Structures are given as C-alpha cells and as structure tokens.
Amino acid sequence: MQVRNSSSNFGVVSVAIHWLVAVAVFGLFGLGFWMVDLSYYDDWYRTGPDIHRSVGILLLLVMLFRLVWRLFNPLPRALPSHSRLEVLAAHGAHSLLYVLIFVAMASGYLISTADGSSISVFNWFDVPSVTGQIKGMEDTAGLVHYWSTWALVVLAGVHALAAIKHHLIDRDDTLRRMLGSGRRQS
C-alpha cells in the first residue's frame, strides 16, 4: 500500500487517519455520554473528563494534520459507478463531518476553559485558556457541544451505512478503498 493517495486509492496515511478519527469520535462520544451521570464520589468523576479533554485535544492535532495532508495530497477520483448525486452527497457529508468535528472540539475547549483554567493533556503539556473567565460561556458552549456531538455521531452512522450499502448492494470499491485493500480483482 502506498503512503500517499493515488488517483484510484487512498494511501496508508489517509486510511490510518480516517480510522483513528472514527475510533476517537465514537470513543469520546461514548465516554462523554457515560461520564455526565457520574457522581462526585465516583472514582471516575475527575479521571473521565481528564481523559475526554486530553483525547479531544490530541484529536484536534490529528485533524489539523489531516487538513494539511489533504491540501497536499488530493483525494482519489470518485468511482465511475457513482452518480452525480452520490458524489455531491458524499462531498457534502464529508464537509459537514469536518465542520461538526471542529465545532465539537471548539465548544468542548470553551466548556473546559470558561473559568480561565488551562487543559492538561495527560500531564504532557497544557493548553491555556484564550478567553479568560467569561460568565455563562460554559452553558452556551455545553449546548453547542451536546448538539454538535449528537449530529456528528448520527451523520457518521449514516456515512458508515452508506459505505456498507456501497459494499453489499452496489458491490463497488468504496469501502474497500478506505480499508486500504484497493481495487477488487476482476
């Protein structure tokens, strides 16, 4: 498998980033969904949010790298079997996935730094607050974070179902290309 994308397949870097982001998004969603019901006396009351914030910051770094990678590494062409509507829907869905990921990360950052605190990333480094203390910001950012993460997970689920539809019903190489196995041998 090649490192860079070709005109017909994704390279190993694009495939690895895609799956890393997918696992991180669903993992963060699951952790966030679980930790909101933790009580003050639960052992995970502080640990869960610390992990959630740390992985979120690392995901931001991965997503910034992903954007740079895409600028210098064009995507493979759409498959000839895809209709114009499918191509447009895929581009729209991918763009919206990117927007929702960045909105979720920005709002999560604003929740955590609304009191002027920095975010410690696994005690490796700290990300300072750029806003200082803003009264009520954590509530507004919390609503944005809640709805953007739900929208992100629902859209990612639809995205996965579309890939499965292409694989099982259309029997094309859409999913195979993102699994890194390239074109089907005829």
Side-chain angles (χ1 to χ4, degrees), residues 22-55:
V23 168
V25 163
F26 279 97
L28 285 168
F29 183 82
L31 178 57
F33 190 78
W34 172 73
M35 71 185 190
V36 295
D37 289 330
L38 295 175
S39 73
Y40 180 79
Y41 297 104
D42 194 295
D43 292 340
W44 279 86
Y45 182 77
R46 284 184 181 49
T47 305
D50 287 344
I51 292 170
H52 188 84
R53 286 187 291 265
S54 293
V55 172

Side-chain angles (χ1 to χ4, degrees), residues 74-126:
L75 296 175
R77 289 187 307 267
L79 294 173
S81 60
H82 291 176
S83 71
R84 178 84 175 127
L85 180 59
E86 285 175 313
V87 172
L88 289 173
H91 285 298
H94 284 116
S95 297
L96 187 53
L97 284 168
Y98 273 78
V99 167
L100 288 170
I101 287 172
F102 282 108
V103 167
M105 288 186 293
S107 59
Y109 168 81
L110 292 174
I111 294 167
S112 298
T113 61
D115 64 355
S117 317
S118 61
I119 297 173
S120 176
V121 179
F122 294 117
N123 292 320
W124 299 337
F125 61 93
D126 290 341

Side-chain angles (χ1 to χ4, degrees), residues 7 17 25 35 49 109 126 156 170 178 184 186:
S7 61
I17 292 172
V25 163
M35 71 185 190
Y109 168 81
D126 290 341
D170 299 343
M178 192 41 79
R184 182 176 32 206
S186 301

Side-chain angles (χ1 to χ4, degrees), residues 153-174:
V153 168
V154 168
L155 183 57
V158 170
H159 173 69
L161 288 173
I164 291 168
K165 174 252 185 205
H166 278 285
H167 190 71
L168 297 177
I169 296 171
D170 299 343
R171 297 199 173 288
D172 66 27
D173 291 327
T174 301

Side-chain angles (χ1 to χ4, degrees), residues 131-148:
T131 60
Q133 293 182 344
I134 299 179
K135 188 173 175 66
M137 182 172 67
E138 67 275 5
D139 295 330
T140 303
L143 279 172
V144 171
H145 192 68
Y146 178 85
W147 289 110
S148 65

